[in-house]
Amino acid sequence: FGLLIAVGLFLVFAGRRLFRPFLAVVGGLVGGTAGYYVYGQVAAIEAFKAATTASPYVVHIVCAVLAAIGAAVCLFAWKVGVFAAAGYGGFWLSHFALATYVQMTGYLVPSWVDLIVTCVCIIVPCCLAIKFDRPIIAVSSSLIGSGLVITGVEYFARTGFLKHIIETVTIVRASTTPQAMGAAAAQLVDKAAANHTWIAMAAAFVVLTVFGVIYQLKFIKRDDYGSAE
């Protein structure tokens, strides 16, 4: 987790300068995240639970292989990596925005709204990356890097910040009635309100992201952009 903080700070302040290593990190994150997400969806199926005896270590190994493949693809096919970075940055942003919305309003959004917002946050940066790849890389690397830093800090501080985000997204996608959503939202808000450090972690995430974007756009020159041009 200390490594997460170090890699995160590298992405926040040097994502554009060390372009290809950044894309390799993003590819690894995309591959690993996709593997765990697919497993989580499949593992929820009762027939799969009854039919499989796979060890959790096998799942970790498979996800590690997917992460390595993703890193290799983004490293050598850098244009694919740019789109992956843009989309993954939007993916992080959508989850953070959803959890913050619940905390500030006390209301959960329907799952279809969550799906639309997530898709927009992924698709729009990918489209912008076609024309504005350098600014998008700065924003995306700062977002992803800040997320990794917060993840590392969370391991030591135990503020509940990441747990709140995960619980919010999980409940939104599982709740089917307004009554269930209302009860779940109230529970989430109460938990977060009881832990004031959640606000500090959210503020730190925003400040670190903004500072990283400003630093990269202002101090990293165009010729430091390590693309294959």
Side-chain angles (χ1 to χ4, degrees), residues 110-145:
S111 57
W112 62 268
V113 174
D114 168 52
L115 178 62
I116 292 175
V117 171
T118 301
C119 290
V120 169
C121 287
I122 293 174
I123 294 172
V124 170
C126 287
C127 293
L128 292 175
I130 298 174
K131 182 68 175 178
F132 306 103
D133 54 343
R134 288 176 172 84
I136 287 296
I137 287 297
V139 174
S140 178
S141 61
S142 295
L143 270 172
I144 297 172

mmCIF file of all heavy atoms in Angstrom, residues 110-145:
data_model
loop_
_atom_site.group_PDB
_atom_site.id
_atom_site.type_symbol
_atom_site.label_atom_id
_atom_site.label_comp_id
_atom_site.label_asym_id
_atom_site.label_seq_id
_atom_site.Cartn_x
_atom_site.Cartn_y
_atom_site.Cartn_z
ATOM 1 N N PRO A 110 -31.506 6.098 -9.017
ATOM 2 C CA PRO A 110 -31.833 4.777 -9.581
ATOM 3 C C PRO A 110 -30.623 4.191 -10.300
ATOM 4 O O PRO A 110 -29.743 4.914 -10.772
ATOM 5 C CB PRO A 110 -32.976 5.085 -10.551
ATOM 6 C CG PRO A 110 -33.552 6.381 -10.085
ATOM 7 C CD PRO A 110 -32.398 7.154 -9.510
ATOM 8 N N SER A 111 -30.601 2.893 -10.416
ATOM 9 C CA SER A 111 -29.461 2.223 -11.034
ATOM 10 C C SER A 111 -29.285 2.631 -12.491
ATOM 11 O O SER A 111 -28.158 2.691 -12.985
ATOM 12 C CB SER A 111 -29.623 0.699 -10.933
ATOM 13 O OG SER A 111 -30.837 0.282 -11.538
ATOM 14 N N TRP A 112 -30.397 2.930 -13.191
ATOM 15 C CA TRP A 112 -30.268 3.319 -14.598
ATOM 16 C C TRP A 112 -29.609 4.686 -14.731
ATOM 17 O O TRP A 112 -28.878 4.940 -15.687
ATOM 18 C CB TRP A 112 -31.623 3.301 -15.303
ATOM 19 C CG TRP A 112 -32.641 4.267 -14.752
ATOM 20 C CD1 TRP A 112 -33.568 4.027 -13.779
ATOM 21 C CD2 TRP A 112 -32.836 5.625 -15.164
ATOM 22 N NE1 TRP A 112 -34.330 5.139 -13.543
ATOM 23 C CE2 TRP A 112 -33.905 6.140 -14.390
ATOM 24 C CE3 TRP A 112 -32.226 6.444 -16.107
ATOM 25 C CZ2 TRP A 112 -34.370 7.451 -14.518
ATOM 26 C CZ3 TRP A 112 -32.682 7.749 -16.246
ATOM 27 C CH2 TRP A 112 -33.746 8.242 -15.462
ATOM 28 N N VAL A 113 -29.837 5.568 -13.754
ATOM 29 C CA VAL A 113 -29.157 6.866 -13.763
ATOM 30 C C VAL A 113 -27.663 6.674 -13.517
ATOM 31 O O VAL A 113 -26.817 7.297 -14.179
ATOM 32 C CB VAL A 113 -29.757 7.805 -12.694
ATOM 33 C CG1 VAL A 113 -28.947 9.102 -12.599
ATOM 34 C CG2 VAL A 113 -31.211 8.107 -13.008
ATOM 35 N N ASP A 114 -27.334 5.794 -12.579
ATOM 36 C CA ASP A 114 -25.925 5.476 -12.317
ATOM 37 C C ASP A 114 -25.251 4.943 -13.570
ATOM 38 O O ASP A 114 -24.131 5.322 -13.902
ATOM 39 C CB ASP A 114 -25.843 4.447 -11.190
ATOM 40 C CG ASP A 114 -24.454 3.843 -11.049
ATOM 41 O OD1 ASP A 114 -23.482 4.606 -10.951
ATOM 42 O OD2 ASP A 114 -24.354 2.604 -11.053
ATOM 43 N N LEU A 115 -25.953 4.066 -14.298
ATOM 44 C CA LEU A 115 -25.397 3.499 -15.523
ATOM 45 C C LEU A 115 -25.147 4.582 -16.571
ATOM 46 O O LEU A 115 -24.084 4.609 -17.214
ATOM 47 C CB LEU A 115 -26.342 2.433 -16.084
ATOM 48 C CG LEU A 115 -25.928 1.779 -17.405
ATOM 49 C CD1 LEU A 115 -24.602 1.055 -17.232
ATOM 50 C CD2 LEU A 115 -27.005 0.816 -17.883
ATOM 51 N N ILE A 116 -26.112 5.489 -16.737
ATOM 52 C CA ILE A 116 -25.969 6.557 -17.722
ATOM 53 C C ILE A 116 -24.810 7.476 -17.360
ATOM 54 O O ILE A 116 -23.980 7.827 -18.205
ATOM 55 C CB ILE A 116 -27.278 7.360 -17.854
ATOM 56 C CG1 ILE A 116 -28.367 6.498 -18.493
ATOM 57 C CG2 ILE A 116 -27.052 8.629 -18.678
ATOM 58 C CD1 ILE A 116 -29.718 7.170 -18.560
ATOM 59 N N VAL A 117 -24.738 7.876 -16.088
ATOM 60 C CA VAL A 117 -23.669 8.778 -15.644
ATOM 61 C C VAL A 117 -22.301 8.119 -15.830
ATOM 62 O O VAL A 117 -21.349 8.757 -16.309
ATOM 63 C CB VAL A 117 -23.876 9.180 -14.171
ATOM 64 C CG1 VAL A 117 -22.663 9.934 -13.642
ATOM 65 C CG2 VAL A 117 -25.121 10.040 -14.029
ATOM 66 N N THR A 118 -22.198 6.848 -15.475
ATOM 67 C CA THR A 118 -20.929 6.132 -15.635
ATOM 68 C C THR A 118 -20.524 6.067 -17.096
ATOM 69 O O THR A 118 -19.360 6.320 -17.447
ATOM 70 C CB THR A 118 -21.031 4.710 -15.055
ATOM 71 O OG1 THR A 118 -21.370 4.782 -13.668
ATOM 72 C CG2 THR A 118 -19.720 3.974 -15.206
ATOM 73 N N CYS A 119 -21.484 5.749 -17.972
ATOM 74 C CA CYS A 119 -21.181 5.667 -19.411
ATOM 75 C C CYS A 119 -20.760 7.026 -19.961
ATOM 76 O O CYS A 119 -19.811 7.113 -20.756
ATOM 77 C CB CYS A 119 -22.396 5.147 -20.173
ATOM 78 S SG CYS A 119 -22.769 3.403 -19.879
ATOM 79 N N VAL A 120 -21.449 8.083 -19.536
ATOM 80 C CA VAL A 120 -21.091 9.431 -20.006
ATOM 81 C C VAL A 120 -19.692 9.810 -19.538
ATOM 82 O O VAL A 120 -18.890 10.364 -20.308
ATOM 83 C CB VAL A 120 -22.122 10.460 -19.507
ATOM 84 C CG1 VAL A 120 -21.627 11.895 -19.759
ATOM 85 C CG2 VAL A 120 -23.460 10.259 -20.206
ATOM 86 N N CYS A 121 -19.390 9.508 -18.270
ATOM 87 C CA CYS A 121 -18.077 9.837 -17.726
ATOM 88 C C CYS A 121 -16.953 9.057 -18.398
ATOM 89 O O CYS A 121 -15.794 9.484 -18.366
ATOM 90 C CB CYS A 121 -18.046 9.576 -16.215
ATOM 91 S SG CYS A 121 -18.968 10.771 -15.236
ATOM 92 N N ILE A 122 -17.272 7.929 -18.984
ATOM 93 C CA ILE A 122 -16.270 7.133 -19.701
ATOM 94 C C ILE A 122 -16.176 7.553 -21.162
ATOM 95 O O ILE A 122 -15.085 7.750 -21.705
ATOM 96 C CB ILE A 122 -16.594 5.627 -19.603
ATOM 97 C CG1 ILE A 122 -16.427 5.149 -18.161
ATOM 98 C CG2 ILE A 122 -15.683 4.818 -20.529
ATOM 99 C CD1 ILE A 122 -16.867 3.711 -17.943
ATOM 100 N N ILE A 123 -17.329 7.727 -21.804
ATOM 101 C CA ILE A 123 -17.356 7.989 -23.244
ATOM 102 C C ILE A 123 -16.885 9.394 -23.586
ATOM 103 O O ILE A 123 -16.100 9.588 -24.530
ATOM 104 C CB ILE A 123 -18.774 7.746 -23.799
ATOM 105 C CG1 ILE A 123 -19.132 6.263 -23.686
ATOM 106 C CG2 ILE A 123 -18.873 8.201 -25.266
ATOM 107 C CD1 ILE A 123 -20.566 5.956 -24.028
ATOM 108 N N VAL A 124 -17.329 10.400 -22.826
ATOM 109 C CA VAL A 124 -16.971 11.789 -23.139
ATOM 110 C C VAL A 124 -15.456 12.015 -23.106
ATOM 111 O O VAL A 124 -14.888 12.580 -24.058
ATOM 112 C CB VAL A 124 -17.698 12.763 -22.199
ATOM 113 C CG1 VAL A 124 -17.152 14.184 -22.357
ATOM 114 C CG2 VAL A 124 -19.200 12.754 -22.489
ATOM 115 N N PRO A 125 -14.741 11.592 -22.049
ATOM 116 C CA PRO A 125 -13.279 11.769 -22.075
ATOM 117 C C PRO A 125 -12.617 11.024 -23.237
ATOM 118 O O PRO A 125 -11.641 11.519 -23.813
ATOM 119 C CB PRO A 125 -12.828 11.189 -20.725
ATOM 120 C CG PRO A 125 -14.011 11.307 -19.849
ATOM 121 C CD PRO A 125 -15.193 11.064 -20.740
ATOM 122 N N CYS A 126 -13.138 9.840 -23.588
ATOM 123 C CA CYS A 126 -12.566 9.100 -24.712
ATOM 124 C C CYS A 126 -12.731 9.881 -26.011
ATOM 125 O O CYS A 126 -11.817 9.913 -26.852
ATOM 126 C CB CYS A 126 -13.234 7.734 -24.838
ATOM 127 S SG CYS A 126 -12.759 6.556 -23.555
ATOM 128 N N CYS A 127 -13.888 10.510 -26.194
ATOM 129 C CA CYS A 127 -14.111 11.321 -27.393
ATOM 130 C C CYS A 127 -13.208 12.556 -27.388
ATOM 131 O O CYS A 127 -12.628 12.916 -28.424
ATOM 132 C CB CYS A 127 -15.580 11.737 -27.476
ATOM 133 S SG CYS A 127 -16.728 10.371 -27.754
ATOM 134 N N LEU A 128 -13.078 13.200 -26.244
ATOM 135 C CA LEU A 128 -12.221 14.380 -26.151
ATOM 136 C C LEU A 128 -10.757 14.024 -26.387
ATOM 137 O O LEU A 128 -9.983 14.848 -26.889
ATOM 138 C CB LEU A 128 -12.383 15.041 -24.778
ATOM 139 C CG LEU A 128 -13.735 15.690 -24.501
ATOM 140 C CD1 LEU A 128 -13.788 16.192 -23.063
ATOM 141 C CD2 LEU A 128 -13.978 16.852 -25.465
ATOM 142 N N ALA A 129 -10.380 12.801 -26.025
ATOM 143 C CA ALA A 129 -8.984 12.381 -26.184
ATOM 144 C C ALA A 129 -8.556 12.326 -27.641
ATOM 145 O O ALA A 129 -7.357 12.383 -27.940
ATOM 146 C CB ALA A 129 -8.776 11.017 -25.534
ATOM 147 N N ILE A 130 -9.518 12.224 -28.555
ATOM 148 C CA ILE A 130 -9.183 12.202 -29.976
ATOM 149 C C ILE A 130 -8.514 13.509 -30.389
ATOM 150 O O ILE A 130 -7.552 13.522 -31.169
ATOM 151 C CB ILE A 130 -10.453 11.969 -30.816
ATOM 152 C CG1 ILE A 130 -11.058 10.609 -30.475
ATOM 153 C CG2 ILE A 130 -10.139 12.064 -32.314
ATOM 154 C CD1 ILE A 130 -12.393 10.346 -31.152
ATOM 155 N N LYS A 131 -9.003 14.623 -29.839
ATOM 156 C CA LYS A 131 -8.484 15.940 -30.216
ATOM 157 C C LYS A 131 -7.597 16.553 -29.146
ATOM 158 O O LYS A 131 -6.624 17.236 -29.455
ATOM 159 C CB LYS A 131 -9.681 16.871 -30.490
ATOM 160 C CG LYS A 131 -9.302 18.266 -30.944
ATOM 161 C CD LYS A 131 -8.685 18.270 -32.330
ATOM 162 C CE LYS A 131 -8.434 19.698 -32.813
ATOM 163 N NZ LYS A 131 -7.780 19.716 -34.145
ATOM 164 N N PHE A 132 -7.936 16.308 -27.882
ATOM 165 C CA PHE A 132 -7.222 16.964 -26.775
ATOM 166 C C PHE A 132 -6.555 15.910 -25.897
ATOM 167 O O PHE A 132 -6.827 15.809 -24.701
ATOM 168 C CB PHE A 132 -8.201 17.798 -25.939
ATOM 169 C CG PHE A 132 -9.001 18.783 -26.739
ATOM 170 C CD1 PHE A 132 -10.322 18.527 -27.050
ATOM 171 C CD2 PHE A 132 -8.422 19.964 -27.191
ATOM 172 C CE1 PHE A 132 -11.066 19.429 -27.785
ATOM 173 C CE2 PHE A 132 -9.158 20.883 -27.927
ATOM 174 C CZ PHE A 132 -10.487 20.613 -28.230
ATOM 175 N N ASP A 133 -5.670 15.125 -26.514
ATOM 176 C CA ASP A 133 -5.083 14.014 -25.773
ATOM 177 C C ASP A 133 -4.190 14.474 -24.634
ATOM 178 O O ASP A 133 -4.177 13.877 -23.564
ATOM 179 C CB ASP A 133 -4.331 13.075 -26.711
ATOM 180 C CG ASP A 133 -3.287 13.786 -27.555
ATOM 181 O OD1 ASP A 133 -3.343 15.015 -27.658
ATOM 182 O OD2 ASP A 133 -2.425 13.083 -28.118
ATOM 183 N N ARG A 134 -3.437 15.545 -24.817
ATOM 184 C CA ARG A 134 -2.516 15.978 -23.760
ATOM 185 C C ARG A 134 -3.250 16.470 -22.504
ATOM 186 O O ARG A 134 -2.930 16.038 -21.393
ATOM 187 C CB ARG A 134 -1.568 17.055 -24.315
ATOM 188 C CG ARG A 134 -0.536 16.494 -25.276
ATOM 189 C CD ARG A 134 0.336 17.593 -25.881
ATOM 190 N NE ARG A 134 1.436 17.044 -26.655
ATOM 191 C CZ ARG A 134 1.343 16.655 -27.917
ATOM 192 N NH1 ARG A 134 0.180 16.764 -28.548
ATOM 193 N NH2 ARG A 134 2.384 16.154 -28.553
ATOM 194 N N PRO A 135 -4.226 17.379 -22.627
ATOM 195 C CA PRO A 135 -4.971 17.759 -21.420
ATOM 196 C C PRO A 135 -5.706 16.586 -20.779
ATOM 197 O O PRO A 135 -5.771 16.487 -19.546
ATOM 198 C CB PRO A 135 -5.965 18.818 -21.932
ATOM 199 C CG PRO A 135 -5.346 19.361 -23.159
ATOM 200 C CD PRO A 135 -4.618 18.213 -23.779
ATOM 201 N N ILE A 136 -6.251 15.689 -21.603
ATOM 202 C CA ILE A 136 -6.972 14.538 -21.068
ATOM 203 C C ILE A 136 -6.028 13.637 -20.279
ATOM 204 O O ILE A 136 -6.383 13.116 -19.205
ATOM 205 C CB ILE A 136 -7.649 13.741 -22.194
ATOM 206 C CG1 ILE A 136 -8.848 14.513 -22.735
ATOM 207 C CG2 ILE A 136 -8.095 12.375 -21.700
ATOM 208 C CD1 ILE A 136 -9.960 14.717 -21.733
ATOM 209 N N ILE A 137 -4.805 13.453 -20.788
ATOM 210 C CA ILE A 137 -3.821 12.650 -20.058
ATOM 211 C C ILE A 137 -3.493 13.292 -18.716
ATOM 212 O O ILE A 137 -3.350 12.608 -17.696
ATOM 213 C CB ILE A 137 -2.542 12.472 -20.899
ATOM 214 C CG1 ILE A 137 -2.800 11.501 -22.053
ATOM 215 C CG2 ILE A 137 -1.386 11.950 -20.050
ATOM 216 C CD1 ILE A 137 -3.150 10.097 -21.608
ATOM 217 N N ALA A 138 -3.354 14.615 -18.697
ATOM 218 C CA ALA A 138 -3.055 15.313 -17.438
ATOM 219 C C ALA A 138 -4.178 15.114 -16.427
ATOM 220 O O ALA A 138 -3.940 14.811 -15.252
ATOM 221 C CB ALA A 138 -2.833 16.802 -17.704
ATOM 222 N N VAL A 139 -5.423 15.280 -16.878
ATOM 223 C CA VAL A 139 -6.570 15.126 -15.981
ATOM 224 C C VAL A 139 -6.715 13.677 -15.530
ATOM 225 O O VAL A 139 -6.901 13.392 -14.341
ATOM 226 C CB VAL A 139 -7.864 15.600 -16.678
ATOM 227 C CG1 VAL A 139 -9.081 15.308 -15.793
ATOM 228 C CG2 VAL A 139 -7.790 17.087 -16.992
ATOM 229 N N SER A 140 -6.620 12.759 -16.473
ATOM 230 C CA SER A 140 -6.806 11.350 -16.157
ATOM 231 C C SER A 140 -5.725 10.830 -15.214
ATOM 232 O O SER A 140 -6.014 10.129 -14.240
ATOM 233 C CB SER A 140 -6.805 10.528 -17.446
ATOM 234 O OG SER A 140 -6.946 9.161 -17.163
ATOM 235 N N SER A 141 -4.473 11.172 -15.488
ATOM 236 C CA SER A 141 -3.393 10.692 -14.625
ATOM 237 C C SER A 141 -3.516 11.261 -13.218
ATOM 238 O O SER A 141 -3.227 10.571 -12.234
ATOM 239 C CB SER A 141 -2.030 11.051 -15.227
ATOM 240 O OG SER A 141 -1.881 12.453 -15.358
ATOM 241 N N SER A 142 -3.973 12.508 -13.111
ATOM 242 C CA SER A 142 -4.160 13.109 -11.785
ATOM 243 C C SER A 142 -5.314 12.443 -11.035
ATOM 244 O O SER A 142 -5.225 12.193 -9.829
ATOM 245 C CB SER A 142 -4.418 14.607 -11.917
ATOM 246 O OG SER A 142 -3.284 15.272 -12.434
ATOM 247 N N LEU A 143 -6.396 12.161 -11.751
ATOM 248 C CA LEU A 143 -7.535 11.480 -11.130
ATOM 249 C C LEU A 143 -7.154 10.090 -10.633
ATOM 250 O O LEU A 143 -7.394 9.734 -9.474
ATOM 251 C CB LEU A 143 -8.683 11.364 -12.143
ATOM 252 C CG LEU A 143 -9.701 12.486 -12.223
ATOM 253 C CD1 LEU A 143 -10.617 12.266 -13.418
ATOM 254 C CD2 LEU A 143 -10.517 12.556 -10.939
ATOM 255 N N ILE A 144 -6.555 9.314 -11.525
ATOM 256 C CA ILE A 144 -6.186 7.943 -11.170
ATOM 257 C C ILE A 144 -5.119 7.942 -10.079
ATOM 258 O O ILE A 144 -5.179 7.163 -9.125
ATOM 259 C CB ILE A 144 -5.696 7.186 -12.413
ATOM 260 C CG1 ILE A 144 -6.827 7.076 -13.439
ATOM 261 C CG2 ILE A 144 -5.180 5.797 -12.036
ATOM 262 C CD1 ILE A 144 -6.395 6.522 -14.781
ATOM 263 N N GLY A 145 -4.130 8.826 -10.219
ATOM 264 C CA GLY A 145 -3.081 8.908 -9.208
ATOM 265 C C GLY A 145 -3.621 9.288 -7.847
ATOM 266 O O GLY A 145 -3.235 8.701 -6.815
#
